[in-house]
Amino acid sequence: AQSVTQLDSQVPVFEEAPVELRCNYSSSVSVYLFWYVQYPNQGLQLLLKYLSGSTLVKGINGFEAEFNKSQTSFHLRKPSVHISDTAEYFCAVKAAGNKLTFGGGTRVLVKP
Amino acid sequence: EADIYQTPRYLVIGTGKKITLECSQTMGHDKMYWYQQDPGMELHLIHYSYGVNSTEKGDLSSESTVSRIRTEHFPLTLESARPSHTSQYLCASSEYGQFYGYTFGSGTRLTVV
């Protein structure tokens, strides 16, 4: 079985400041990792994914994430946020069985 | 353009009514999913399908039912809506294989009064 823990339910951040959203997972087998963003009243949109290779993954809208196998983490970062980054962010893991398991989500509120 | 569509986007309906939430995708994906998302944000898988005539219940028990008669279509039905069914319902699809994430529709926000 696999599980995903997003350590922060809400992250307030000022515009142009950096932000990091923390994600830890547990799985007994190799996994593939994903970050999704959900804007208000929308579905989820894929930000980035880690399948293999370089542990630093770059995604859309200036986001990046780093896979750390020893710490079973996949934290999402952006060096400078905009007001438009206000949204909910979901970390997800996929292993054997082929279904995504989502974390509880982190709400990012960017303040001017 | 390949995409996944959900209708309606918003629905307000009275208790006891039968409703069907539509979900269609044009990507030819075999796998489709329904999630329920309450205001607390967490996503709960309520149904999934790995192909035509294949449907399974998800992790969260739901009074809704689904069907998969065509690859592109995966409707969700509530025979008798109740206020406890008020929620957002998200449909998603994916290709076969572990490399692929899910593509989500825009969701249906259901309010039962």
Side-chain angles (χ1 to χ4, degrees), chain B residues 38-55:
Chain B
D38 289 329
M41 292 193 310
E42 192 166 356
L43 293 156
H44 298 286
L45 180 67
I46 52 174
H47 297 284
Y48 62 97
S49 167
Y50 284 173
V52 171
N53 294 326
S54 154
T55 61

Side-chain angles (χ1 to χ4, degrees), chain A residues 30-111:
Chain A
S30 295
V31 297
Y32 303 101
L33 296 153
F34 304 79
W35 273 100
Y36 285 84
V37 59
Q38 184 180 31
Y39 299 107
N41 298 315
Q42 295 292 324
L44 276 68
Q45 179 183 356
L46 182 66
L47 271 178
L48 50 79
K49 60 184 175 183
Y50 173 78
L51 302 179
S52 65
S54 173
T55 56
L56 184 63
V57 181
K58 294 190 182 298
I60 62 171
N61 301 340
F63 283 93
E64 62 182 31
E66 185 151 21
F67 170 58
N68 188 319
K69 188 175 182 179
S70 62
Q71 296 186 8
T72 60
S73 68
F74 191 53
H75 300 333
L76 181 71
R77 302 185 185 98
K78 185 169 182 177
S80 176
V81 297
H82 303 290
I83 294 289
S84 59
D85 292 321
T86 293
E88 284 84 35
Y89 293 81
F90 291 91
C91 183
V93 62
K94 183 188 257 194
N98 228 12
K99 290 201 299 295
L100 274 178
T101 298
F102 287 91
T106 298
R107 181 170 305 204
V108 172
L109 176 59
V110 181
K111 303 176 182 179

